[in-house]
Amino acid sequence: MKKAKVEVQDANPEEPVVAQENVVGEIPVAESTAPNATEAALAELTNDLQRTRADFENFRKQVEVQKSQAMAAAKYATVTKFLPLVDDFSRAIDAYSEQLSPLRKSLDKTLQGLGLTQIESTPGVEFNPDLHEAISVEDDEGDTEVIAETLRPGYMYDGAVIRAAMVKVKHQ
C-alpha cells in the first residue's frame, strides 16, 4: 500500500486552499486495483456468456424435441382418422379382387411407408389380448385360444398398437 503525503493546516474559510509541498503527515491510499478488477469483470462476463450459450443450446434442443413430438402427434392423429378409409379400401379390394389386385400392393406399400402395419389376425393365429379384441368366444374343447374370424383388422403404428383387431375366438 502506498502512502500519499498531505499537509494539514489551519484553514481560513475566506482564503482559497492551495496545496503546499510541505509534508506534515502521511495518509494511506489504496493501490490501484484496476488490473485485478478488470480481470474479475472479464471472468464474470465470460461466465455469463458461457451460461447464456448453454441456456440457448438447451432451449434449441428442447424446441427440436417439441417440434418432432408435435410432428409425430400430428402424424398419429392423421393415421388414426385415416383407418376407416383404409378399411373401406380393403373391403372394396377384397370384393373386386380380380380388378383391384394391383391396388392392394400399392395400398400395403403406402401404409408401410407411413409406419402402419396390419396386425396378424388370420384364422388359426393364437389370440393375444395385447393385439386382439375378442368379441365372442366359441367353447370348444382345448386350452389354447385361437382366432376363428377377423371382424375388423387391427393396426400398429411405429411398433405400437393403434387399434386392436376385433376377432372371434375359439378354444382348441
Side-chain angles (χ1 to χ4, degrees), residues 82-112:
F82 183 65
L83 287 180
L85 186 60
V86 170
D87 291 339
D88 291 341
F89 273 121
S90 292
R91 281 192 290 275
I93 291 169
D94 290 342
Y96 299 99
S97 61
E98 216 173 276
Q99 296 88 357
L100 300 177
S101 62
L103 187 60
R104 168 63 72 191
K105 290 180 185 177
S106 177
L107 179 63
D108 290 342
K109 186 176 180 180
T110 302
L111 294 178
Q112 285 178 348

Side-chain angles (χ1 to χ4, degrees), residues 8 19 28 44 47 62 91 126 130 142 152:
V8 181
E44 184 178 339
N47 289 337
Q62 182 181 10
R91 281 192 290 275
E126 189 172 332
D130 294 330
R152 183 188 72 194

Side-chain angles (χ1 to χ4, degrees), residues 5 7 37 80 85 87 94 102 110 123 136 144 157:
K5 297 179 182 181
E7 181 180 306
T80 303
L85 186 60
D87 291 339
D94 290 342
T110 302
S136 68
T144 309
Y157 176 68

Side-chain angles (χ1 to χ4, degrees), residues 16-86:
V17 177
V18 179
Q20 297 179 3
E21 293 183 23
N22 295 340
V23 176
V24 176
E26 294 182 14
I27 299 175
V29 177
E31 275 187 41
S32 175
T33 57
N36 291 337
T38 304
E39 289 174 9
L42 178 63
E44 184 178 339
L45 289 173
T46 303
N47 289 337
D48 288 346
L49 178 62
Q50 289 173 342
R51 278 191 296 275
T52 303
R53 281 185 179 172
D55 289 344
F56 178 73
E57 280 300 312
N58 290 339
F59 174 74
R60 187 185 59 76
K61 289 176 185 176
Q62 182 181 10
V63 167
E64 287 296 320
V65 167
Q66 289 175 348
K67 184 178 173 182
S68 66
Q69 287 175 342
M71 289 176 63
K75 190 174 176 185
Y76 179 84
T78 302
V79 168
T80 303
K81 291 185 182 216
F82 183 65
L83 287 180
L85 186 60
V86 170

